[in-house]
């Protein structure tokens, strides 16, 4: 929770990927799995303009 609070307070400048990866690792997810999951989900949030 402290990691997420650091991002919210502006102490840790991040687009969310580093905090999400760190939170998953802290929850016990393997480092490589956490990083690939966050990378995949971050890319899924990207939408392209129809124009």
């Amino acid at each position: 929770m402290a990691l997420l609070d650091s991002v919210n307070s502006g102490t840790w400048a991040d687009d969310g990927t580093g905090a999400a990866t760190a939170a998953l690792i802290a929850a016990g997810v393997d480092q490589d799995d956490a990083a690939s999951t966050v990378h995949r989900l971050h890319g899924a949030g990207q939408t392209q303009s129809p124009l």
Side-chain angles (χ1 to χ4, degrees), residues 2 15 18-20 22-23 29 31 38 40 42-44 51:
D15 66 354
V29 177
Q31 178 179 352
V38 170
R40 179 177 50 84
H42 182 67
L51 299 177

Side-chain angles (χ1 to χ4, degrees), residues 23-48:
L24 287 172
I25 293 169
V29 177
D30 176 75
Q31 178 179 352
D32 293 333
D33 290 341
S36 64
T37 299
V38 170
H39 179 73
R40 179 177 50 84
L41 292 173
H42 182 67
Q46 304 293 324
T47 58
Q48 295 195 4

